[in-house]
Amino acid sequence: GRSANMDTGERDFLNTPPMKTVRFGGRVTDMLDKQQRGDSTDYELLKHQLTDPDIKDAQIINWLQEFRSCVTQLSKEHEQLVYSVLRLPWAERSQAVVDEYMSFLSNLVTAQTVFLCICVRMVVSHFTPKRVTICEEGVDISDSDDEDENLPRTFERCHQALQLISKYVPSTSRFLLPILQENFPFIQKSSRTLECYIHNLLRVTVYLPVIRRDVLELIIGKLLKLDVSASRADIEEAEENVTDSQRTEDLMEEGLFDMDEDTPPEHLPSSTLMAHPEAEKLDALMSVLMAYIKDVCCLHVDQTKDVYRDLLSVFDKVILTTHASCHVQYLLFYLCSFRLALAEAFLDHLWKILQNLSQPAVLRQAAAGYLGSFLARAKFVPVHTVRACLDLLLSWIHGYIHNQDGSGSPVCCDISLHGPFYAACQAAFYTLVFRHRALLEADMRKGLEFLQGLNLERVVMCQLNPLKVCLPAVTNLFAAVTRKYQVAFCYTIIERNNRHMLPVVRSSTGGDRVSANTNPLDSFFPFDPYLLKRSGQLIEPLYQKWEELCDTELLPSTKGLQVRGQRDDEDDFLREETPKTECIMGMTPSSLDSNLQSPSSVGSPRTGFHLAKICQYSRLLHADFLFMSVRCI
């Protein structure tokens, strides 16, 4: 009968006689009475026995039964004793020990809520692999036991315990979050330790959704620190160094006689491990979060909208305000790929931030960057949505131009005054460069009517002069596309802008001043190519890579110039266009510093202004002038 009761989880613990064990001292109740009267000898002996590393299952069960029967006698002064009981090695023991421990927890938190936090801390302490001591070269080193095969079972039991506590004490969630924050492993810990902890935090949100937003903010805040510390340039350099080293090793192994049979570099097998240590850790953690998002969207469909709202709140609070993050923002990108409604809701959210005058200008500019990058790169955003967003963007841009023209005051090209406007223009130009083929391929006539209806020529020719501020790689490709379809003619304006090496902006105190600050629009495309290998496998099928413009869309002087030796799978939107458009770059006003730095992947192209190419280029400028003159007639 006893075994049947144990199987059903209804064992009568109070009426079950204690199992025979080797122990010293009296019963727990007697020890507590003696300690109350001032005799703490047996009390100290009890604490010592509870910390015995060789304690047997039967002894643990015996102690837990006795403590469970006297929980009402335990008070704050017995905190150390209760702590010793809670630290008994229960999670890795037999099911009988686990059942007994769960019952003790239930009784303790119900009778003595003063011990709630210490119980929760005990459970959370099992969210990472236990510490083990490793001897290396005669030195003892404490590290996590990443090879423990019983971790899944241990984690399962911990979540059962936490659910049990929250069942008996509904306010558990209020005390849980600070404990989760305190116990978060240092970001320098092993990937396995961080993976386990983040996995368990996300699992908690499944049965305690009230803390999901705060948990996501906690996790993403940690990931952003990793993301920012592993810059795009550093990751690419580390990967290139490993590739070069591997190629050298392969050649040495093959020997001189196999040189003719060398495998081309692009066909060499690539490891799934990242060469950059922080990038490797970030890759593992992003994989955990993406697996969580996938589970929510596929297995818990009813929670998808709630997870989206929570993640969007975290986006506003910590992601949008973080400069130079490369990968963490892809969590929203990935989530939006599961439902078109989510993608459209995200675009609408960004649009509202951009046009909200009460928002700081820097956030409005960031929102415009996200808007343009998302429209350009997300394959799952259909053409009709792209068209609707461009309509909104251009309507707002034209309204802004109209207000400036009608203000009665001089209009100058000053990004500090008109930052959101320039960011919106760059978003529109960037989107058109990437999506113009999709806009036109279904119906060329209707597509051209749509592009003409955007009145892009008014935008590029207005006094605010967006072509002077936007990134050269974007403006030049935009100029090539709009020239091909004869919807705007930018080269004359670009040439005029290139004559000015330094920008002149209006000072608030009157007069003119020269500024050489870095362009705030420089290097800001949040959904530039995703570099992490394992988690990137989920992003790759959703991602719109850069498709090189055909010869008819390029300038005559730039045809045939290619960047060689790059991987086939590399997104080279700005890389390949840099040498192609050198002839029309020059020094970009407002971004002298960024030109001199010449960021490798998303910044301004290399400085340089070649007179011979300008001469070749002048024919095209003349053609633009003639065509505009004909249109005016």
Side-chain angles (χ1 to χ4, degrees), residues 9-17 61 65 68 96 99-100 103:
E10 298 174 354
R11 180 179 172 188
D12 187 355
F13 292 101
L14 291 178
N15 296 327
T16 303
I61 292 173
Q65 286 178 340
R68 190 160 60 88
D99 291 341
E100 199 76 55
S103 297

Side-chain angles (χ1 to χ4, degrees), residues 449-486:
E449 288 177 358
F450 170 75
L451 291 180
Q452 290 166 354
L454 296 177
N455 198 3
L456 296 169
E457 192 166 346
R458 182 190 182 217
V459 176
V460 300
M461 297 185 71
C462 72
Q463 294 183 68
L464 290 168
N465 196 357
L467 295 180
K468 185 177 183 181
V469 175
C470 295
L471 287 183
V474 176
T475 57
N476 283 280
L477 287 169
F478 172 74
V481 170
T482 53
R483 175 184 177 275
K484 176 181 178 180
Y485 298 108
Q486 300 185 353

Side-chain angles (χ1 to χ4, degrees), residues 496-509:
R496 185 184 64 204
N497 292 336
N498 283 335
R499 296 194 188 104
H500 304 283
M501 300 298 288
L502 287 174
V504 178
V505 295
R506 190 70 57 191
S507 170
S508 58
T509 56

Side-chain angles (χ1 to χ4, degrees), residues 277-338:
E278 277 78 17
E280 167 59 24
K281 197 173 293 183
L282 181 63
D283 195 8
L285 302 183
M286 287 291 288
S287 297
V288 173
L289 276 160
M290 287 184 182
Y292 168 74
I293 289 172
K294 184 176 181 180
D295 282 351
V296 168
C297 293
C298 297
L299 303 178
H300 307 278
V301 180
D302 55 317
Q303 297 180 22
T304 303
K305 287 184 180 179
D306 295 330
V307 171
Y308 166 76
R309 292 190 190 100
D310 291 340
L311 196 54
L312 190 66
S313 174
V314 176
F315 171 82
D316 287 344
K317 194 170 182 180
V318 296
I319 299 178
L320 187 64
T321 57
T322 300
H323 178 67
S325 64
C326 300
H327 300 98
V328 174
Q329 56 264 28
Y330 272 91
L331 293 172
L332 257 171
F333 186 97
Y334 184 60
L335 175 59
C336 289
S337 71
F338 286 93

